[in-house]
């Protein structure tokens, strides 16, 4: 009997179908593709549609089930789409947006597909949300209740919501380092264009196109437009927010009456935050672009009452006895800001301060009183312990208000100044000193900027302070010895801001002109 072993028989392995070319996603991202059909492994892992040029040319549809990593669509029937998201297309072929919309079955899946493609992957979506809540929402633009948003995300990957998709995409506008982000096209920032397009599309399909979520999305878009030196676009976006607030009843005094105060205080608090966020952006647009004179500026809205500030609902408590305690044992005013009960928005008071400073009805005799009140609020915010270190939005807004309030009194000197109040020159010197302190500590400033914790209004504050130094540094401000060095330091800070906010580039250019004229080196 032979000891030779019998040959081992193996069952035939099914042939893995391969595409003739790499898929469009891998080609666009310049990644290696295994060409597997119906979906390559990279597209499965990143929750993206896998499509090949041959399919698009031939008009072959793909199945949306592969969006969920090889699992069929949670809505049952697979969705027929002819290509990946048209809103952030980066390849050479560009089928029309209309054709893609025609082939979509469901606005929720369509919106999710777009967001995943724009933000690159599921991981990119998760990172965007985290960056927003730990950056802008935590330090200078706290307009979204994180705990409520997290509840919406619990079923997001199995039952996507188009509204939530739009909100995430709009979050990315101000949470990412825009200038250094890849992918600019001849038409500009593709993420911004995609966010505007998807917002309009989802609103047109929604049964409630005027909702809190859509208003928050519009506010995020308006803030981005301000940061990118797009004042007219920001004006239109803020205008839509004001119109939406009117339709939602916020501009009716009874909405803020005792009955709603007793029954829906948390909803009123969020709506108060959103209202003052509108005033916040509108006033910064007015301060930075006064030559435009758009009519939306908050004092001209004509309300017969003042909408309550969030602190009416126990929102901002700078006294130690009212501070929230974090689990790590450190006391922070915003330690419970994940929930609407503990959300803070000191920028509401700062927006009121700037709004008053910019008002044409501001009486000259109130300048000194308001100036001292603004500085006191600045000190309150500065001395309050914050989980992110500071509230750069409130601080920069207050400093701009201080400069605005005291500029007109600078030439008058001490004549006619009430001895009970600080002189305009001294107020301006205090504001400049605070700004210059930030400019003198650039490594810390740059680190906070990279984490999204520096408000874009620092750029205008630094520019405005520099202009006052150039025109009054040697004379009324009595800074003959170091005014120029302070301007140079503030300009260096603007250069760093320009790495994230395009509006800072504008101020660097304008400051170079003004400094050149002052030093006699500018050639027009």
């Amino acid at each position: 009997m032979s000891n030779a072993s019998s040959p081992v028989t193996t069952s035939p392995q099914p042939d893995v179908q391969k595409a003739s070319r790499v898929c469009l996603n891998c080609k666009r991202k310049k990644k290696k593709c295994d060409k597997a059909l119906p979906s390559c492994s990279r597209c499965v892992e990143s929750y993206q549609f896998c499509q090949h040029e041959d399919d698009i040319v031939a008009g072959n549809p793909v199945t949306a089930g592969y969006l969920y990593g090889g699992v069929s669509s949670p809505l049952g029937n697979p969705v027929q789409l002819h290509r990946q998201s048209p809103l952030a297309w980066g390849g050479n072929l560009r089928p029309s947006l209309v054709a893609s919309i025609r082939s979509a079955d469901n606005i929720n899946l369509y919106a999710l597909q777009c967001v995943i493609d724009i933000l690159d992957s599921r991981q990119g979506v998760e990172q965007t949300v985290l960056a927003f809540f730990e950056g802008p929402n935590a330090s200078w633009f706290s307009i979204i209740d994180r705990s409520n948003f997290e509840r919406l995300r619990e079923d997001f990957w199995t039952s996507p919501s188009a509204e939530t998709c739009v909100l995430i995409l709009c979050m990315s506008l101000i949470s990412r380092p825009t200038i250094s982000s890849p992918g600019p096209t001849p038409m500009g920032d593709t993420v911004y264009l995609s966010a505007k397009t998807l917002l309009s599309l989802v609103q047109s399909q929604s049964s409630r196109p005027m909702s809190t979520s859509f208003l928050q999305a519009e506010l995020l878009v308006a803030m981005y437009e301000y940061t990118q030196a797009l004042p007219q676009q920001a004006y239109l976006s803020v205008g839509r927010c004001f119109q939406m607030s009117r339709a939602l009843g916020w501009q009716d005094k009874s909405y803020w009456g005792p009955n709603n105060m007793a029954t829906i205080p948390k909803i009123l608090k969020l709506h108060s935050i959103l209202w003052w966020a509108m005033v916040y952006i509108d006033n910064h647009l007015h301060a930075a672009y006064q030559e435009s004179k758009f009519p939306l500026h908050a004092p001209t809205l004509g309300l017969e009452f003042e909408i309550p500030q969030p602190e009416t609902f126990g929102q901002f408590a700078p006294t130690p006895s009212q501070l929230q305690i974090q689990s790590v044992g450190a006391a922070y005013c915003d330690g419970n800001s994940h929930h609407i009960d503990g959300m803070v928005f000191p920028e509401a008071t700062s927006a009121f301060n700037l709004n008053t400073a910019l008002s044409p009805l501001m009486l000259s005799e109130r300048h000194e009183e308001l100036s001292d009140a603004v500085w006191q609020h600045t000190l309150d915010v500065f001395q309050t312990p914050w989980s992110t270190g500071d509230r750069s939005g409130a601080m920069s807004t207050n400093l701009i208000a201080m400069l605005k309030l005291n500029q007109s009194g600078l030439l008058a000197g001490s004549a006619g100044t009430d001895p009970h109040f600080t002189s305009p020159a001294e107020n301006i010197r205090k504001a400049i000193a605070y700004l210059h302190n930030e400019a003198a500590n650039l490594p810390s400033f740059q680190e906070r900027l990279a984490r999204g914790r520096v408000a874009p209004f620092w750029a205008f504050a630094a520019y405005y302070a520099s202009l006052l130094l150039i025109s009054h540094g040697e004379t009324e401000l009595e800074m003959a010895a170091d005014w120029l060095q302070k301007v140079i330091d503030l300009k260096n800070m603007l250069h760093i801001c320009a790495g994230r906010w395009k509006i800072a580039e504008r101020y660097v250019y304008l400051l170079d002109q003004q400094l050149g004229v002052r030093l006699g080196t500018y050639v027009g």
Side-chain angles (χ1 to χ4, degrees):
M1 188 172 188
S2 172
N3 292 328
S5 57
S6 303
V8 178
T9 59
T10 59
S11 57
Q13 297 293 321
D15 293 333
V16 177
Q17 287 186 306
K18 294 278 188 177
S20 60
R21 305 183 189 182
V22 300
C23 78
L24 295 175
N25 287 329
C26 292
K27 179 179 179 180
R28 176 168 57 87
K29 298 176 185 178
K30 299 181 180 178
K31 301 288 187 179
K32 185 177 180 180
C33 181
D34 61 16
K35 304 180 184 178
L37 291 174
S39 179
C40 76
S41 59
R42 191 176 296 277
C43 287
V44 171
E45 291 171 1
S46 62
Y47 290 78
Q48 290 187 299
F49 289 91
C50 194
Q51 185 85 22
H52 300 270
E53 290 181 6
D54 292 344
D55 294 329
I56 291 178
V57 173
N60 298 327
V62 294
T63 301
Y66 289 96
L67 178 61
Y68 297 90
V71 181
S72 62
S73 164
L75 301 181
N77 297 326
V79 181
Q80 296 284 305
L81 290 174
H82 286 270
R83 53 176 299 252
Q84 69 176 81
S85 164
L87 301 183
W89 182 261
N92 295 321
L93 296 175
R94 291 178 173 83
S96 74
L97 175 63
V98 174
S100 181
I101 293 174
R102 281 176 179 167
S103 62
D105 274 359
N106 182 280
I107 187 62
N108 295 305
L109 284 177
Y110 181 85
L112 180 61
Q113 174 198 354
C114 293
V115 170
I116 289 177
D117 186 55
I118 294 161
L119 299 180
D120 195 53
S121 63
R122 175 173 177 169
Q123 183 181 12
V125 173
E126 301 288 354
Q127 289 174 344
T128 291
V129 172
L130 183 64
F132 175 77
F133 281 112
E134 294 190 352
N137 202 71
S139 55
W140 56 271
F141 203 46
S142 309
I143 65 168
I144 297 178
D145 176 358
R146 185 172 186 174
S147 62
N148 183 61
F149 184 82
E150 293 297 342
R151 285 193 293 272
L152 295 176
R153 286 181 60 219
E154 288 178 359
D155 300 322
F156 179 71
W157 296 105
T158 54
S159 299
S161 159
E163 276 192 44
T164 305
C165 289
V166 168
L167 198 54
I168 290 173
L169 193 54
C170 292
M171 286 178 186
S172 75
L173 293 176
I174 64 171
S175 64
R176 67 200 173 101
T178 321
I179 300 297
S180 59
S181 295
T185 69
M187 288 181 63
D189 181 1
T190 55
V191 178
Y192 165 62
L193 298 175
S194 301
K196 294 271 282 191
T197 303
L198 190 60
L199 174 57
S200 177
L201 178 62
V202 172
Q203 277 185 305
S204 70
Q205 291 286 299
S206 175
S207 59
R208 51 188 194 108
M210 291 183 291
S211 67
T212 300
S213 293
F214 284 132
L215 195 149
Q216 289 167 323
E218 289 277 13
L219 279 171
L220 292 168
V221 169
M223 181 63 78
Y224 171 84
E225 289 163 339
Y226 171 87
T227 69
Q228 301 305 301
L230 300 170
Q232 295 186 43
Q233 289 86 341
Y235 166 70
L236 292 172
S237 295
V238 174
R240 284 190 288 272
C241 292
F242 276 119
Q243 290 283 53
M244 213 179 296
S245 73
R246 180 180 290 116
L248 293 171
W250 300 1
Q251 297 183 34
D252 185 340
K253 189 175 182 178
S254 63
Y255 183 77
W256 306 93
N259 184 53
N260 281 352
M261 284 280 195
T263 56
I264 53 170
K266 294 182 181 181
I267 293 175
L268 287 187
K269 179 179 178 180
L270 179 60
H271 293 174
S272 171
I273 289 174
L274 297 179
W275 170 265
W276 286 102
M278 288 182 248
V279 177
Y280 183 47
I281 299 175
D282 178 45
N283 278 279
H284 277 290
L285 279 170
H286 185 66
Y289 298 96
Q290 290 195 58
E291 70 280 1
S292 299
K293 299 189 183 303
F294 293 131
L296 186 62
H297 179 48
T300 67
L301 288 176
L303 294 184
E304 297 179 354
F305 70 102
E306 184 178 303
I307 289 179
Q309 292 197 4
E311 64 190 46
T312 305
F313 309 90
Q315 171 262 353
F316 179 46
T319 57
S321 62
Q322 296 172 309
L323 297 181
Q324 301 289 343
I325 306 299
Q326 279 196 331
S327 58
V328 295
Y332 293 112
C333 182
D334 56 345
N336 193 34
S337 61
H338 286 20
H339 304 273
I340 185 62
D341 292 333
M343 277 183 71
V344 296
F345 197 60
E347 289 76 15
T349 300
S350 301
F352 172 82
N353 292 337
L354 183 56
N355 183 64
T356 308
L358 294 172
S359 173
L361 302 178
M362 164 57 64
L363 300 176
S364 59
E365 55 264 29
R366 289 193 59 206
H367 281 207
E368 296 166 334
E369 179 185 348
L370 179 60
S371 185
D372 278 12
V374 172
W375 187 249
Q376 185 57 53
H377 182 249
T378 304
L379 291 177
D380 289 343
V381 175
F382 177 73
Q383 293 169 358
T384 297
W386 303 101
S387 60
T388 57
D390 65 4
R391 291 293 297 200
S392 69
M395 295 297 292
S396 54
T397 303
N398 278 346
L399 293 173
I400 294 169
M402 282 285 289
L403 297 175
K404 287 285 184 185
L405 283 167
N406 290 279
Q407 181 181 4
S408 60
L410 198 57
L411 293 175
S414 59
T417 301
D418 189 326
H420 296 94
F421 296 104
T422 308
S423 70
E426 179 59 25
N427 281 329
I428 290 177
R429 282 194 292 267
K430 288 191 298 186
I432 289 175
Y434 188 91
L435 284 162
H436 185 257
N437 184 62
E438 290 289 321
N441 191 14
L442 287 183
S444 172
F445 183 85
Q446 196 163 10
E447 186 270 336
R448 287 186 289 119
L449 182 71
R451 298 178 68 183
R453 292 182 174 178
V454 174
F457 314 124
W458 276 105
F460 181 71
Y463 170 67
Y464 192 7
S466 298
L467 293 185
L468 292 176
L469 283 168
I470 290 170
S471 57
H472 301 288
E474 282 189 309
T475 53
E476 291 82 11
L477 293 176
E478 300 175 356
M479 296 181 177
D482 60 352
W483 73 267
L484 180 57
Q485 185 58 52
K486 282 183 166 57
V487 171
I488 292 172
D489 293 342
L490 290 170
K491 181 182 171 184
N492 288 336
M493 185 168 73
L494 279 172
H495 272 297
I496 291 176
C497 286
R500 190 175 189 100
W501 311 122
K502 190 173 181 180
I503 194 171
E505 288 184 355
R506 175 177 183 260
Y507 294 137
V508 169
Y509 171 75
L510 294 174
L511 184 55
D512 277 337
Q513 285 187 332
Q514 294 295 323
L515 191 57
V517 171
R518 175 67 176 81
L519 300 177
T521 60
Y522 175 70
V523 178

